[in-house]
Amino acid sequence: MKQSIELDSKISNFIESCLQKPNHKSYLIAVLHKIQQHYGYLSLEHMNMVAHRLQVPTSMVSGVATFYHYFRLKPRGKYAISICLGTACFVKGADKVLEAFETELGIKMGETTPDGLFSLENSRCLGVCALAPVITINERIFSKVTAQNVPGLINKVKMEIPMTE
Amino acid sequence: MGNPGSFYKQLSESYHSEYIRSGLLKKIIIQVGSATCEKAAGSDLVWQEFNKLIRASGRDDIVIKQTGCTGRCAREPIVGVFSPNQIPIKYEKITVPKVQTIFQDHIIGGQTVPELVLDKKTQKRYDWVITTCSSRRCHFDKETDLKILLQDHLEKNDLDPDTVRVFHGGCMGLCGREKVGKQHIMMIFPEKIIYRFETESQLDEIIQSHFKSKTIAQKYQTKTDFITEQFFSLYGDVAFFNKQTRLTLRNCGLIDPESLGDYIRNKGYEALSRILEQNNPEKVIEQVMASGLRGRGGGGYPTGQKWKNAVTYTQDPQKYIVCNADEGDPGAFMDRSALEGDPFIIIEGMTIGAYAIGASQGYIYVRAEYPLAIQRLENAIEKARKNNLLGKNIMNSGFNFDVEIRLGAGAFVCGEETALMYSIEGKRGQPRIRPPYPTQSGLWGHPTVINNVETLANIPTILLYGADWFSQIGTPKSKGTKVFALAGNVKNTGLVEVPMGTTLREIIFDIGGGLLEGRRLKAVQTGGPSGGCIPESQIDTTVDYESLAQIGSIMGSGGMIILDDRDCIVATAKYFLEFTQNESCGKCVPCREGTLRMLEILERISEGNGVPEDLDKLERLGNLIKKTSLCGLGQTAPNPVLSALKNFRDEFLLHIDEKTCPAKKCSKLIKYQIIPDKCTGCTLCARRCPVSCITGKSRQVHIIQQEKCIKCGECYNVCKFDAVSII
Ligand SMILES: Cc1cc2nc3c(=O)[nH]c(=O)nc-3n(C[C@H](O)[C@H](O)[C@H](O)COP(=O)(O)O)c2cc1C
Ligand code: FES
């Protein structure tokens, strides 16, 4: 049994506490959430480690990780642009916003730009339908986005690069 | 065993005296919305700015408080200013510069800023605002319009009409105790006095005394503490709100959702203390059954009956209660607002349910997409535990119960109850066949009651005000209120809570303010991916479980999307089917394969390759999927398509026979063209075209090369001269 990578200590402790509780296997999804939040995605190594630590079959971990849309199995770009494709946003033209991002960034939904800066995702309704169409860039919500705003938004994000680094 | 009644009394008294000591009653309170939607609209910056200004002013009689979302989403961020003894003022669409104006003029200067006031019809400053109850049950005479009657009498008594504003309000929840159909109820601001009267001469008496002699006409004053009083006293003078009946959302936008004290001061946990005191779980179930409350998650199963099932058919001592906060309908946000705005009420409702069925553990299953709701729930659970409202020996009653939050991970099917249970168990959320129902065999094989957020939010209210009172609201078969999330092409998007039996027309036009840009209503979509499109001709249908089912839609969980003449029915049907197809868990064949085949046909039609037989095929296939699918997802997935076919068959035929899309939405069926007379040759479109298919020299008419055009619509969007047309 080789463990080439370490798990963040907070996550490790969380798994430890789950093992003490009844029905400990039921915390699998919660553990995966924590890993994704910390590392950005679920790598094969991490999934194997979770299976080992939580004492569940690897097949169950990968089964769960692939079943739920929320889990990513690939790393995302530095800026994850997520377009809400819920009903309200659809009615207000989210498809046009998506197209605009695709043309502007030159990538398709689910892909990451070669420089690793941007990735394009879709999300389910964020519950902000009244301000549709809505997108998020790294958890920050932008409302009433139009296709015309897109180049400006991307530039704005890019401009912030030196500031955040 | 201790005494829950005295426990509660002590707890609530300590919060009340804390409140009095804080002196808030004598201070100016600035209330800033804090919910996902408010934040998206920029409320964080508003909050910071106010804080900065308060600090700079050095005054200690100005405080700032946060609150959940009121549901007036289109006008957010919303800021309330509550000064002692004045009409509460709500401002809309507040930005940082506007914060400065409000602070200077209103907070410091004492003058309202009329142009920023919410629902700006009040350019004038009224001395009084009257909100009347115009619910059908409250009229002594169904013929008279109370608003007109009031205005007549105000005039008769020589009052300047410019000083008093009269509003039609919704039911204030007083009816249970009043003589139904014999009295009128009205509330007068800023004094927040409620009068009830039976005759016109009594009305004159009230007017003379209140407005002329400026003394309260005590003979007619009603002092019953009615449930929505707090909400009305803050928002009763805003048209969007006063036609609603806020039962489950009554604290949203009123209290600080992170403050247990705020909740308790608004009767929070009184219901729980009462039932623990009475110590009779069966009676709780009886009361919930008598109230006629039905599940708000979509199915409409009687809640009391569900609870009873979990008790009667089993000897198993281990039981669970689950709150379904997965809110899967893409286009609905009722539950999010409720959780963000008033999380304690859901926990109290769950605790009461747990007590009634004898559960010691509960789970709240929340979507991971709602981080703020999760945070507020965590806070609420922690505070409840600290105050002995969760955990061991709740309120010294000997009853033990605790709650844990479990996160979803973006799978629509996990809203379905059996899938949800697998997901809580940490597995793939694939539904199973029922029976056995969860109340027989649920989480880890034990009896489990699963209720929706809004269902649980009704519970404390029912126990507080009685099943009789509750069952008077609504229709014979659907009791109480329902919250709808109004979105799409309607003016006032947001949350609307109305009594069951309200018509769609009232919701869309009276509360929603009609369509944007005066467009024509084409259809209302209710029930999300499990529901249907209701055409304009049927919008006088009332909202209740039976009526909506009868016209081929469903109540659903409360999503309501307004479509206008620019929305294509084929595209909308396709959208929903794409959604369910994508979310199908793949376990059963009819749902997995059937929806895919239906989608292929719809794609064909929207691309202009459909044939007339396709429509019959869609219908046959749809009905087959409905009959043979394993769970509710598949059983309802064809609904959006079938109802669209039933009500808008002509539009499908236009796509098939004429190869046109009347709404100009289906990109394969439209063409972009430049109108030579309007084109100024500014070259903007040519520069922006992603495939460079627009040619033309500067200051000359441009031309789109149709064979290269990908119909992205960029030229149409960027043209400043309306020179691009869609045909
Ligand atoms: C595909 C599917 C999705 C569902 N999504 C939800 C949901 O998001 N929220 C919810 O409360 N109920 C949802 N339900 C209904 C639940 O299965 C269940 O009936 C409900 O939570 C019971 O609570 P109630 O009796 O209080 O309505 C869904 C059902 C199906 C078939
Ligand atoms: S549909 Fe986009 S936020 Fe709801």
Short mmCIF file of all heavy atoms in Angstrom, two decimals, chain B residues 295-298 306 324 326-328 412 415-417 450-452 455 632-633, ligand 1:
data_model
loop_
_atom_site.label_atom_id
_atom_site.label_comp_id
_atom_site.label_asym_id
_atom_site.label_seq_id
_atom_site.Cartn_x
_atom_site.Cartn_y
_atom_site.Cartn_z
N GLY B 295 -47.78 18.28 1.47
CA GLY B 295 -46.36 18.47 1.17
C GLY B 295 -46.13 19.51 0.10
O GLY B 295 -46.78 19.51 -0.93
N ARG B 296 -45.17 20.40 0.36
CA ARG B 296 -44.88 21.47 -0.59
C ARG B 296 -43.75 21.10 -1.55
O ARG B 296 -43.34 21.92 -2.36
CB ARG B 296 -44.50 22.74 0.17
CG ARG B 296 -45.55 23.23 1.15
CD ARG B 296 -46.77 23.76 0.42
NE ARG B 296 -47.62 24.53 1.29
CZ ARG B 296 -48.86 24.18 1.65
NH1 ARG B 296 -49.39 23.05 1.20
NH2 ARG B 296 -49.58 24.94 2.43
N GLY B 297 -43.24 19.89 -1.42
CA GLY B 297 -42.13 19.48 -2.29
C GLY B 297 -42.59 19.10 -3.68
O GLY B 297 -41.79 18.82 -4.56
N GLY B 298 -43.88 19.07 -3.90
CA GLY B 298 -44.38 18.77 -5.24
C GLY B 298 -45.47 17.72 -5.24
O GLY B 298 -46.46 17.81 -5.96
N LYS B 306 -48.53 11.35 6.61
CA LYS B 306 -47.17 10.81 6.46
C LYS B 306 -46.57 10.55 7.84
O LYS B 306 -45.97 9.50 8.09
CB LYS B 306 -46.31 11.79 5.67
CG LYS B 306 -44.96 11.23 5.26
CD LYS B 306 -44.10 12.25 4.54
CE LYS B 306 -44.35 12.29 3.05
NZ LYS B 306 -43.42 13.20 2.34
N ASN B 324 -35.90 17.97 3.18
CA ASN B 324 -35.45 17.96 1.80
C ASN B 324 -35.22 19.39 1.33
O ASN B 324 -36.15 20.12 1.02
CB ASN B 324 -36.51 17.27 0.93
CG ASN B 324 -36.05 17.07 -0.50
OD1 ASN B 324 -35.08 17.66 -0.94
ND2 ASN B 324 -36.77 16.22 -1.23
N ASP B 326 -33.10 20.10 -1.25
CA ASP B 326 -32.30 19.90 -2.45
C ASP B 326 -32.70 20.87 -3.55
O ASP B 326 -31.93 21.15 -4.45
CB ASP B 326 -32.43 18.46 -2.94
CG ASP B 326 -31.35 18.12 -3.95
OD1 ASP B 326 -30.20 18.53 -3.72
OD2 ASP B 326 -31.65 17.47 -4.96
N GLU B 327 -33.91 21.39 -3.46
CA GLU B 327 -34.43 22.36 -4.43
C GLU B 327 -33.86 22.17 -5.83
O GLU B 327 -33.07 22.96 -6.32
CB GLU B 327 -34.16 23.78 -3.95
CG GLU B 327 -34.92 24.81 -4.78
CD GLU B 327 -35.29 26.03 -3.95
OE1 GLU B 327 -34.43 26.76 -3.48
OE2 GLU B 327 -36.50 26.21 -3.76
N GLY B 328 -34.32 21.11 -6.46
CA GLY B 328 -33.74 20.72 -7.73
C GLY B 328 -34.28 21.45 -8.93
O GLY B 328 -33.59 21.59 -9.94
N PHE B 412 -30.00 16.23 -9.72
CA PHE B 412 -31.41 16.56 -9.59
C PHE B 412 -32.20 15.40 -9.00
O PHE B 412 -33.09 15.58 -8.16
CB PHE B 412 -31.97 16.93 -10.98
CG PHE B 412 -33.45 17.12 -11.03
CD1 PHE B 412 -34.06 18.12 -10.30
CD2 PHE B 412 -34.24 16.31 -11.83
CE1 PHE B 412 -35.43 18.31 -10.35
CE2 PHE B 412 -35.62 16.49 -11.90
CZ PHE B 412 -36.21 17.49 -11.16
N GLY B 415 -33.31 14.81 -5.30
CA GLY B 415 -34.47 15.42 -4.65
C GLY B 415 -35.56 14.38 -4.45
O GLY B 415 -36.43 14.52 -3.60
N GLU B 416 -35.53 13.33 -5.25
CA GLU B 416 -36.50 12.24 -5.11
C GLU B 416 -36.18 11.50 -3.82
O GLU B 416 -35.01 11.25 -3.50
CB GLU B 416 -36.39 11.30 -6.31
CG GLU B 416 -37.56 10.38 -6.52
CD GLU B 416 -37.52 9.13 -5.65
OE1 GLU B 416 -36.42 8.74 -5.20
OE2 GLU B 416 -38.59 8.54 -5.42
N GLU B 417 -37.21 11.16 -3.06
CA GLU B 417 -36.95 10.76 -1.68
C GLU B 417 -36.10 9.51 -1.51
O GLU B 417 -35.25 9.46 -0.62
CB GLU B 417 -38.25 10.66 -0.89
CG GLU B 417 -39.34 9.86 -1.55
CD GLU B 417 -40.66 9.99 -0.78
OE1 GLU B 417 -40.85 10.99 -0.08
OE2 GLU B 417 -41.48 9.06 -0.88
N ILE B 450 -39.73 12.21 5.30
CA ILE B 450 -39.02 13.21 4.50
C ILE B 450 -39.99 14.33 4.17
O ILE B 450 -41.06 14.08 3.62
CB ILE B 450 -38.47 12.58 3.21
CG1 ILE B 450 -37.49 11.47 3.57
CG2 ILE B 450 -37.80 13.64 2.34
CD1 ILE B 450 -37.05 10.66 2.39
N ASN B 451 -39.63 15.54 4.57
CA ASN B 451 -40.48 16.69 4.28
C ASN B 451 -39.67 17.81 3.65
O ASN B 451 -38.49 17.98 3.93
CB ASN B 451 -41.14 17.21 5.56
CG ASN B 451 -42.38 16.42 5.93
OD1 ASN B 451 -42.55 16.01 7.06
ND2 ASN B 451 -43.26 16.20 4.96
N ASN B 452 -40.36 18.56 2.85
CA ASN B 452 -39.76 19.69 2.18
C ASN B 452 -39.58 20.87 3.15
O ASN B 452 -40.24 20.94 4.18
CB ASN B 452 -40.71 20.07 1.02
CG ASN B 452 -40.41 21.42 0.45
OD1 ASN B 452 -41.05 22.40 0.79
ND2 ASN B 452 -39.43 21.46 -0.41
N THR B 455 -42.80 22.86 3.76
CA THR B 455 -43.73 22.09 4.57
C THR B 455 -43.40 22.27 6.04
O THR B 455 -44.26 22.56 6.87
CB THR B 455 -43.62 20.59 4.22
OG1 THR B 455 -43.61 20.43 2.81
CG2 THR B 455 -44.77 19.80 4.81
N GLY B 632 -40.17 9.18 -9.95
CA GLY B 632 -40.86 10.41 -10.32
C GLY B 632 -40.17 11.19 -11.42
O GLY B 632 -40.82 11.93 -12.16
N LEU B 633 -38.85 11.06 -11.52
CA LEU B 633 -38.16 11.83 -12.54
C LEU B 633 -38.63 11.42 -13.93
O LEU B 633 -39.06 12.25 -14.73
CB LEU B 633 -36.64 11.65 -12.41
CG LEU B 633 -35.77 12.60 -13.24
CD1 LEU B 633 -34.49 12.92 -12.52
CD2 LEU B 633 -35.42 12.03 -14.61
C1 LIG C 1 -37.05 13.91 -9.65
C2 LIG C 1 -37.62 14.42 -8.39
C3 LIG C 1 -37.06 15.55 -7.79
C4 LIG C 1 -37.56 16.05 -6.60
N1 LIG C 1 -36.99 17.15 -6.07
C5 LIG C 1 -37.44 17.62 -4.89
C6 LIG C 1 -36.85 18.77 -4.30
O1 LIG C 1 -35.92 19.35 -4.84
N2 LIG C 1 -37.31 19.21 -3.11
C7 LIG C 1 -38.34 18.58 -2.47
O2 LIG C 1 -38.71 19.02 -1.39
N3 LIG C 1 -38.95 17.52 -3.02
C8 LIG C 1 -38.53 17.01 -4.21
N4 LIG C 1 -39.13 15.91 -4.75
C9 LIG C 1 -40.25 15.30 -4.01
C10 LIG C 1 -39.72 14.33 -2.94
O3 LIG C 1 -39.55 13.06 -3.53
C11 LIG C 1 -40.67 14.19 -1.79
O4 LIG C 1 -41.93 13.90 -2.28
C12 LIG C 1 -40.79 15.38 -0.91
O5 LIG C 1 -39.55 15.82 -0.47
C13 LIG C 1 -41.66 15.04 0.27
O6 LIG C 1 -41.83 16.17 1.11
P1 LIG C 1 -43.26 16.84 1.27
O7 LIG C 1 -44.25 15.77 1.56
O8 LIG C 1 -43.07 17.78 2.40
O9 LIG C 1 -43.54 17.55 0.00
C14 LIG C 1 -38.65 15.41 -5.97
C15 LIG C 1 -39.21 14.30 -6.57
C16 LIG C 1 -38.73 13.80 -7.76
C17 LIG C 1 -39.37 12.63 -8.37
#
